[in-house]
């Protein structure tokens, strides 16, 4: 990552507005516990709000550094969250994108830290990360408690002692990385929409107008002198909020913070760049063509600052309009007239303004004007009538309940540290989230209606993106906005700039030992119908997550039925014999639960997350959608249209196109894996009938193919009682259970290059790989996977170091051997700048050839992927969702149910010779299939230089 961070919410705690849960905060008191529990029977909004608390303590150093400390002892880890009060809105004309470019440079090493990632990952940290947005730049890592002193030393080193380590070479490299990040984003379907929306809503010079990623010309103009000025002007400790969350207290933290940060001098206050909401003089409409599969219509306004009294009622109103599963737009346009395949509405809040956005993806065959008219009509109807009491209560319950689960994560993006930091940074009150949650709980329909009327009755900017040729160039977009009137800034002349140390060398502290991994104990039970139940009890939050897993998945579809099974699973939540799709959506919202159904490659799942107090009715709902789907003709027709829209989106996405070409080439056209990773064949989906879908359901969803796995704050007795009530009467049919056949023969690996033409692509998507002899997970697989971690598994891998950090040709690259019960594949994937397509293929092959022949595993790599992994295991199982995923994977792959508890011993037994031997056998460049998705005119001459015959495929035929 280490990139632009976009979120659609006023505050971090309101991540449900963006369909992502995160944490929340409470009062400044030195308490050790995270939550205050309500009684199980109390599900009022007040009780839910009371459960969202993050006690904290505060201290401020003489240099102005503000530190907040929250204690949570459930796991021996500490989240380190650092917020700088500077973002892209503070950039001057001609230097758009600079704040984000500087964020990248902050990871390139400081005067006493050669590489920011290697020491921390060696100590067991999560991968370090950072993000830039309009109002701020942040940096996050979560470390074992014994590595906190090291993390603070390193954060302080780049805060106070950076400039002596930033060279022209580092600037040039990260400039190329960021430019490739921009190309990668622009290359996606609808990838230019953010630029167009900002241009339409805001005047030239408004600080929120230009994109955080910037323009290519401005990025090219950034100089080393700019780097030094930006650092000195903005990165002083008085402009920073440091938050420590987890296995730490203020008394322990303060001496560490004073030791490492106390000598850093104050800097200037960040120069403000004010820019509030703008009201258009009249409605504005723009229609652009792009290489997209379906028309999308956006209707938007600027709105109030996130601290404005209207921010919360307006955000909740937008959620009712197009955020709830039972939203007004869904009911009218997706389920009602069925003129749209998807809709949304949300408020994206910033420090001085917000963006209010509604969107509709128009169903194929429907006139754009008709869809736009209905979007306007539904928006105006909500303004005129206001929300109902029931709608508002469901919105409140959904949003507040979703925050409870966020209390599990102490650090990282969306963690409790982020919540405290944003409250402190934007309002001077780290517990500001309490005021917002309480405001949500107290909202009335009249307050929501009034806010909607005040802000959405103003002239709107309407943008329609319709299928056609891309005529706009993303490289020229995202800048100040007056590029057509002014010459571009002069490119960086690479003039010599003095680079000197800031202070004498400092020594990094030692990392303390970490305790052994404590993986949850597991309880087992069997329902009266034979379904085996596994439970891991965890009481950090009053919630339960569970998965009902079937031995099925998309692999059960024959080639001539690709997409049938996944479509069937998608229909489970679209109506039962006693509930409509709307009824199911409303039931979830009333319970504060999240229920979904879908098919992976090898498993089909119905998953549920709910408040413990609402377990029984939530399981009843889960059982109803699993056992009694109606497959009504109207529901089938609607979901088929949505599925066809998903397939069309895949055909427009470079990554999906690469996968759709790659898998049949590797496995053979008739193999179960060949098409199981796609959304299906449009002809097959179009022809599906309710009868066929019911037969598919009855064939594969049966108790003798099912397992139930649960994690959370519940006893086995309570869980079994709820499951028996919902599933106990479900009996297997008399017929034998069907079985998947994954042993189909695959073609022998052989070298081949296949191109897929995607005109006007600024980047090329590469997918390289071949089948391995591995089937399932034989003994010793971990050594092979760890060798792959050296090659391409993470930010510190060799492929990332070469193609991104050294050459600057890509924003990211990775390799993997995905888990499977059948034959497994070795895959490398990346998106590279188009003019380096051929060079990138050569570079990847060179890395494969070198490992281990000329470049065996070195001691630093070995320590990182063995001892570093052992130290980092506690980070991997912090949340209920992480533990649930591990347990389900263990059951599917046939491992010991507590396999993760064995990993320390497995990692410690590995040595360099074992990793080298695994690389020599499984990670070689022999017989690679190489798929390239890009502009044929640009790419073909480069591929010809590789000395292999190239076959070109038609994207429409995939």
């Amino acid at each position: 990552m280490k990139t632009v961070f976009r979120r659609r919410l006023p505050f971090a705690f309101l991540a449900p507005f963006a369909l992502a849960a995160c944490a929340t905060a409470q009062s400044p008191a030195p308490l050790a516990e995270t939550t205050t529990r309500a009684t199980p029977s109390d599900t009022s909004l007040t009780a839910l709000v009371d459960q969202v608390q993050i006690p904290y303590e505060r201290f401020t150093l003489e240099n102005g550094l503000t530190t907040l400390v929250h204690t949570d002892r459930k796991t021996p880890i500490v989240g380190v969250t650092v917020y700088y009060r500077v973002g892209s809105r503070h950039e001057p004309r001609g230097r758009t994108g600079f704040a984000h470019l500087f964020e990248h440079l902050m990871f390139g090493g400081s005067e006493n830290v050669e590489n920011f990632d290697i020491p921390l990952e060696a100590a067991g940290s999560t991968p370090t990360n950072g993000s830039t947005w309009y109002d701020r730049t942040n940096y996050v890592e979560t470390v074992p408690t014994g590595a906190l002193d090291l993390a603070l030393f390193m954060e302080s080193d780049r805060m106070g002692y950076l400039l002596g380590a930033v060279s022209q070479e580092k600037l040039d490299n990260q400039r190329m990385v960021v430019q490739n990040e921009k190309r990668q984003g622009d290359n996606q379907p609808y990838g230019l929409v953010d630029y167009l929306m900002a241009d339409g809503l805001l005047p030239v010079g408004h600080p929120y107008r230009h994109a955080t990623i910037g323009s290519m010309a401005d990025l090219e103009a950034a100089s080393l002198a700019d780097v030094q000025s930006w650092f000195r002007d903005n990165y002083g400790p008085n402009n920073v909020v440091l938050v420590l969350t987890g296995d730490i207290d203020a008394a322990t933290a303060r001496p560490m913070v004073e030791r490492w940060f106390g000598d850093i001098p104050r800097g200037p206050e960040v120069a403000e760049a004010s820019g509030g909401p703008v009201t258009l003089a009249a409605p504005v409409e723009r229609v652009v063509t792009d290489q997209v599969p379906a028309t999308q219509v956006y209707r938007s306004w600027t709105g109030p600052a996130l601290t404005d009294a209207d921010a919360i009622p307006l955000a909740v109103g937008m959620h009712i309009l197009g955020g709830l599963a039972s939203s007004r737009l869904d009911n009218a346009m997706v389920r009602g007239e069925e003129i749209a395949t998807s809709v949304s509405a949300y408020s994206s809040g910033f420090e001085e303004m917000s963006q209010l956005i509604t969107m509709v993806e128009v169903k194929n065959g429907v006139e754009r004007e008709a869809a736009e008219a209905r979007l306007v009509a539904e928006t105006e109807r909500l303004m005129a009538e206001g929300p109902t009491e029931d709608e508002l209560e469901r919105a409140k319950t959904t949003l507040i309940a979703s925050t409870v689960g966020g209390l599990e994560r102490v650090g990282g993006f969306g963690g409790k540290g982020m919540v405290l930091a944003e409250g402190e940074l934007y309002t001077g009150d780290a517990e500001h989230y309490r005021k917002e949650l309480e405001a949500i709980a107290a909202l009335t329909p009249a307050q929501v209606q009034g806010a909607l009327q005040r802000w959405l009755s103003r002239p709107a900017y309407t943008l329609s993106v319709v299928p056609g040729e891309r005529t706009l160039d993303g490289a020229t977009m995202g800048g100040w906005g007056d590029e057509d009137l002014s010459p571009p800034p002069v490119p960086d002349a690479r003039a010599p700039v003095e680079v000197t140390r800031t202070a004498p060398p400092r020594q990094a502290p030692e990392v303390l030992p970490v305790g052994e991994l404590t993986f949850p104990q597991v309880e087992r039970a069997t329902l009266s119908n034979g379904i085996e139940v596994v439970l891991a009890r965890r009481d950090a939050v009053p919630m339960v997550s569970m998965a009902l897993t079937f031995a099925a998945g998309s692999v059960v579809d024959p080639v001539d039925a690709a997409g049938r099974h996944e479509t069937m699973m998608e229909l489970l939540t679209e109506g039962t014999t006693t509930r409509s799709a709307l009824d199911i959506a409303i039931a979830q919202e009333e319970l504060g639960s999240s229920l979904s159904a879908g098919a992976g490659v090898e498993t089909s799942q119905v998953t549920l997350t709910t408040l413990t107090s609402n377990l029984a009715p939530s399981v009843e709902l889960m059982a109803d959608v699993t056992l009694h789907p109606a497959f009504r003709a109207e529901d089938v027709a609607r979901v088929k249209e949505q599925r066809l829209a998903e397939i069309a989106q895949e055909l427009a996405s470079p990554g999906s196109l690469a996968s759709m070409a790659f898998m049949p080439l590797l496995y053979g056209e008739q193999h179960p894996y060949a098409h199981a990773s796609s959304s299906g064949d449009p002809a097959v989906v179009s022809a599906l009938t309710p009868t066929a879908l019911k037969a598919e359901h009855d064939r594969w969803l049966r108790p003798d193919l099912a397992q139930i796995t649960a994690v959370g704050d519940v006893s086995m007795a309570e869980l079994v009682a709820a499951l028996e009530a919902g599933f106990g009467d479900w009996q297997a049919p008399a017929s034998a259970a069907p079985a998947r056949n994954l042993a189909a023969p695959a073609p022998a690996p052989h070298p081949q290059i296949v191109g897929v033409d995607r005109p006007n692509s600024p980047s090329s998507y590469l997918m390289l790989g071949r089948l391995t002899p591995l089937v399932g997970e034989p003994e010793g697989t971990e050594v092979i996977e760890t060798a792959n971690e050296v090659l391409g598994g993470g930010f510190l891998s060799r492929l990332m170091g070469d193609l991104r950090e050294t050459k600057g040709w890509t924003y990211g690259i990775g390799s993997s051997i995905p888990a499977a019960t059948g034959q497994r594949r070795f895959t490398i994937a990346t998106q590279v700048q188009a003019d380096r397509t051929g060079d990138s293929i050569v570079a990847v092959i060179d890395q494969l050839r070198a490992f281990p022949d000329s470049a065996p595993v070195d001691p630093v790599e070995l320590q990182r992927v063995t001892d570093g992994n052992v130290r980092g295991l506690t980070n991997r199982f912090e949340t209920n969702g992480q533990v649930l995923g591990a347990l389900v994977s263990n059951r599917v792959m046939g491992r010991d149910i507590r396999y993760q508890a064995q990993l320390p011993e497995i990692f410690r037994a590995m040595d360099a010779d074992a990793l080298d031997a695994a690389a020599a056998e499984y990670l070689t460049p022999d017989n690679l299939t190489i798929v390239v998705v890009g502009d044929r005119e640009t790419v073909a001459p480069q591929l010809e230089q590789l000395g292999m015959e190239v076959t070109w495929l038609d994207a429409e035929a995939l």
Side-chain angles (χ1 to χ4, degrees):
M1 202 160 164
K2 295 174 180 153
T3 183
V4 183
F5 181 62
R6 297 179 172 86
R7 60 181 179 86
R8 304 170 175 176
L9 51 149
F11 253 80
F13 82 88
L14 285 182
F17 283 115
L19 304 181
C22 79
T24 346
Q26 212 256 337
S27 59
L31 303 178
E33 296 301 320
T34 302
T35 61
T36 299
R37 295 288 304 278
T39 59
S41 61
D42 189 352
T43 58
S44 67
L45 292 176
T46 300
L48 290 178
V49 170
D50 284 344
Q51 292 180 44
V52 184
Q53 301 188 29
I54 309 177
Y56 69 92
E57 295 182 81
R58 172 206 309 273
F59 58 86
T60 302
L61 302 189
E62 290 185 5
N63 59 14
L65 176 68
T66 298
T67 303
L68 309 177
V69 182
H70 162 68
T71 302
D72 179 347
R73 303 287 190 188
K74 72 176 185 295
T75 306
I77 56 176
V78 180
V80 180
T81 305
V82 186
Y83 266 66
Y84 288 81
R85 194 183 301 277
V86 63
S88 61
R89 74 177 169 95
H90 302 96
E91 296 163 346
R93 185 190 179 282
R95 291 299 182 269
T96 64
F98 191 82
H100 174 232
L101 174 60
F102 188 87
E103 173 224 314
H104 276 244
L105 288 168
M106 284 280 279
F107 289 93
S110 51
E111 292 175 15
N112 303 290
V113 180
E114 183 177 352
N115 181 293
F116 196 82
D117 296 275
I118 288 176
L120 283 178
E121 290 201 29
S125 171
T126 57
T128 63
N129 219 328
S131 68
T132 308
W133 205 208
Y134 293 112
D135 301 313
R136 54 78 182 149
T137 307
N138 65 10
Y139 303 90
V140 297
E141 59 265 351
T142 302
V143 301
T145 307
L148 174 60
D149 206 28
L150 174 66
L152 293 175
F153 160 75
M154 294 176 68
E155 287 290 357
S156 71
D157 210 63
R158 62 180 173 182
M159 181 188 294
Y161 311 97
L162 179 78
L163 292 185
V166 180
S167 64
Q168 184 69 51
E169 180 183 5
K170 288 183 179 180
L171 172 60
D172 289 342
N173 173 266
Q174 290 306 311
R175 188 200 325 267
M176 290 190 290
V177 171
V178 171
Q179 288 174 331
N180 277 309
E181 180 182 352
K182 177 177 168 66
R183 293 185 185 102
Q184 181 172 316
D186 296 350
N187 199 33
Q188 302 304 311
Y190 313 100
L192 307 182
V193 165
D194 283 354
Y195 304 141
L196 294 166
M197 296 276 279
D199 289 353
L201 287 169
L202 297 166
V204 172
H206 194 286
Y208 288 98
R209 174 179 167 127
H210 64 269
T212 301
I213 196 74
S215 73
M216 286 294 191
D218 285 1
L219 289 169
E220 192 59 47
S223 70
L224 199 54
D226 294 327
V227 170
Q228 295 185 350
S229 296
W230 186 265
F231 178 78
R232 294 187 179 110
D233 291 346
N234 300 301
Y235 268 65
N238 47 302
N239 296 320
V240 175
V241 176
L242 168 65
V243 185
L244 306 178
T245 48
D247 186 25
I248 187 66
D249 54 65
T252 304
R254 182 160 192 157
M256 295 183 184
V257 174
E258 289 176 338
R259 175 188 179 189
W260 297 120
F261 293 87
D263 291 338
I264 302 174
R266 294 180 67 97
E269 301 297 319
V270 173
E272 271 308 311
S274 298
V278 174
T279 298
L280 300 177
V284 177
E285 294 201 22
R286 184 174 183 182
V287 179
V288 300
T289 59
D290 201 357
Q291 294 171 196
V292 296
T295 294
Q296 288 189 355
V297 179
Y298 302 81
R299 194 162 180 260
S300 59
W301 306 257
T302 57
L306 54 78
T307 54
D308 189 276
D310 272 346
I312 291 299
L314 187 56
V316 173
M318 296 296 283
H319 195 55
I320 292 169
L321 178 62
L324 286 170
S326 64
S327 75
R328 293 288 185 95
L329 295 179
D330 272 292
N331 291 340
M333 304 184 70
V334 179
R335 299 189 190 98
E337 293 185 26
E338 298 188 16
I339 59 176
T341 54
S342 66
V343 293
S344 66
Y346 57 89
S347 171
S348 184
F350 311 121
E351 192 168 8
E352 297 197 354
M353 57 157 271
S354 57
Q355 289 182 346
L356 312 173
I357 299 173
T358 61
M359 186 281 292
V360 55
E361 182 170 291
V362 182
K363 180 180 173 181
N364 186 35
V366 174
E367 292 295 326
R368 171 176 59 84
E369 292 80 4
E372 182 182 334
R374 190 57 193 270
L375 172 63
V376 172
E378 285 302 313
T379 304
E380 292 179 346
R381 185 166 75 90
L382 182 58
M383 286 193 292
E385 300 174 356
T388 67
E389 289 279 3
D390 284 346
E391 282 178 315
L392 182 55
E393 287 304 300
R394 294 199 309 273
K396 293 178 184 181
T397 302
T398 300
L399 294 169
I400 296 173
S402 295
T403 66
V404 175
L407 293 170
E408 291 185 281
R409 190 177 293 278
V410 296
F413 293 144
K416 291 188 281 187
M418 189 171 179
V419 177
L420 292 174
E422 295 200 350
E424 181 69 25
L425 191 78
Y426 297 143
T427 73
D429 179 6
E431 59 181 339
H432 180 76
Y433 75 95
R434 293 289 301 173
K435 298 178 177 66
E436 297 201 316
L437 284 175
E438 290 162 359
I440 291 176
L443 273 179
T444 66
Q447 288 175 307
V448 173
Q449 181 182 17
L452 290 170
Q453 289 175 341
R454 281 187 287 277
W455 293 94
L456 301 194
S457 61
R458 298 148 62 231
Y461 173 67
T462 303
L463 170 68
S464 297
V465 183
V466 303
E469 182 181 354
R470 173 172 281 194
T471 57
L472 298 173
D473 181 5
T476 65
M477 303 172 74
W480 201 252
D482 60 353
E483 287 79 5
D484 56 336
L485 302 175
S486 305
V490 177
D492 181 11
R494 278 73 173 173
V497 175
E498 184 178 4
V499 176
T500 58
R501 287 190 65 92
T502 305
R506 306 193 306 164
Q507 187 67 38
E510 294 293 324
V511 176
L512 300 178
V514 299
E516 291 298 316
L517 171 67
T518 303
F519 193 76
Q521 294 298 319
V522 169
E523 302 174 54
R524 295 177 182 270
T526 302
L527 301 186
S528 57
N529 59 5
I531 298 179
E532 294 183 356
V533 180
V534 164
L535 168 65
R537 296 190 65 175
R538 305 177 89 233
D539 61 1
V541 293
M543 302 191 79
V544 179
S545 295
M546 71 174 70
L548 171 61
T549 306
F550 297 91
S554 297
V555 291
V556 304
D557 285 337
V559 173
D560 60 1
R564 180 176 63 196
H565 188 84
E566 194 170 352
T567 304
M568 179 274 292
M569 291 298 299
E570 192 170 333
L571 272 154
L572 297 188
T573 55
E574 294 297 322
T576 72
T577 54
T578 58
R579 288 179 168 106
S580 68
L582 179 58
D583 292 335
I584 294 169
I586 289 173
Q588 291 182 70
E589 292 161 0
E590 289 176 340
L591 293 166
S593 300
S594 174
L595 177 68
S596 63
V601 173
E602 294 189 0
T603 60
S604 303
Q605 279 191 341
V606 182
T607 58
L608 171 69
T609 296
T610 186
L611 297 164
T612 302
S613 54
N614 287 336
L615 178 63
S618 298
V619 170
E620 186 278 324
L621 180 64
M622 182 186 196
D624 192 30
V625 303
T626 304
L627 307 185
H628 309 123
F631 300 113
R632 299 181 185 92
E634 59 270 27
D635 296 329
V636 170
R638 181 181 66 252
V639 171
K640 283 165 56 175
E641 287 293 340
Q642 294 169 340
R643 170 69 50 175
L644 292 171
E646 291 174 21
I647 295 171
Q649 293 286 358
E650 286 183 348
L651 289 169
S653 167
S656 296
L657 280 173
S659 179
M660 294 167 71
F662 183 75
M663 295 297 282
L665 289 169
L666 247 61
Y667 283 100
E669 187 66 34
Q670 300 300 314
H671 196 284
Y673 286 145
H675 303 283
S677 299
S678 73
S679 293
D681 184 331
V684 170
V685 173
S686 296
L688 289 173
T689 65
T691 301
L693 290 163
K694 184 179 187 308
E696 183 75 8
H697 169 272
D698 294 347
R699 175 173 169 78
W700 290 103
L701 270 59
R702 41 191 288 165
D704 49 353
L705 291 177
Q707 300 174 333
I708 295 175
T709 311
V711 179
D713 187 16
V714 66
S715 70
M716 181 61 88
E718 293 169 321
L719 178 63
V720 167
L723 292 173
E724 284 287 0
F727 294 97
D729 293 337
W730 183 29
Q731 299 298 317
S735 59
R740 302 162 301 180
N741 176 22
L742 301 178
H750 61 283
Q752 55 184 327
I753 300 181
V754 173
V756 180
D757 187 21
R758 190 174 183 273
N760 302 315
S761 295
S763 302
S764 298
Y765 199 101
L766 308 181
M767 192 168 284
L768 307 86
R770 68 169 175 280
L771 296 184
T772 75
L774 296 173
V775 176
E777 205 168 73
E779 184 177 355
T781 301
E782 296 89 352
V783 176
I784 303 166
E785 293 170 336
T786 305
N788 176 73
E789 188 175 348
V790 173
L791 174 69
F795 189 78
L796 291 175
S797 69
R798 293 183 178 188
L799 289 174
M800 185 74 91
D802 185 23
L803 272 80
R804 170 177 159 140
E805 294 301 294
T806 300
K807 295 182 169 69
W809 295 342
T810 182
Y811 175 57
I813 182 171
S815 63
S816 63
I817 306 175
T821 58
Q823 188 171 8
R824 297 170 66 173
R825 67 187 184 277
F826 167 52
T827 304
I828 300 170
T830 183
Q831 194 164 188
V832 301
Q833 63 190 67
D835 62 349
R836 291 292 190 175
T837 302
D839 292 337
S840 297
I841 293 172
V842 171
V844 169
I845 292 174
D846 286 346
Q847 285 294 330
L848 294 174
R849 186 172 289 120
F851 186 23
D853 290 352
S854 59
V857 173
D858 66 39
V860 173
E861 291 173 325
L862 178 64
Q863 189 280 333
R864 174 172 59 86
V865 300
T866 55
D867 182 58
N869 273 336
V870 172
R871 289 174 170 273
L873 285 172
T874 51
N875 273 324
R876 299 188 191 180
F877 309 112
E878 182 184 6
T879 68
N880 286 353
Q882 289 172 316
V883 174
L884 180 64
L887 293 176
V888 170
S889 177
N890 292 345
R891 300 182 79 180
V892 170
M893 297 302 296
R895 306 180 188 126
D896 181 90
I897 194 63
R898 297 186 71 248
Y899 163 77
Q900 284 70 26
Q902 303 169 12
L903 286 174
E905 182 180 349
I906 292 172
F907 281 126
R908 287 170 180 144
M910 296 180 191
D911 60 20
D913 289 342
L915 298 183
D916 288 340
E921 184 171 357
Y922 293 96
L923 308 180
T924 70
D926 303 328
N927 296 316
L928 289 179
T929 290
I930 302 172
V931 171
V932 180
V933 179
D935 187 315
R936 182 172 181 174
E937 185 176 341
T938 302
V939 169
Q942 301 177 61
L943 300 183
E944 291 171 2
Q945 299 300 312
L946 300 179
M948 293 173 59
E949 182 178 348
V950 181
T951 302
W952 286 91
L953 300 180
D954 182 359
E956 296 297 323
L958 294 175

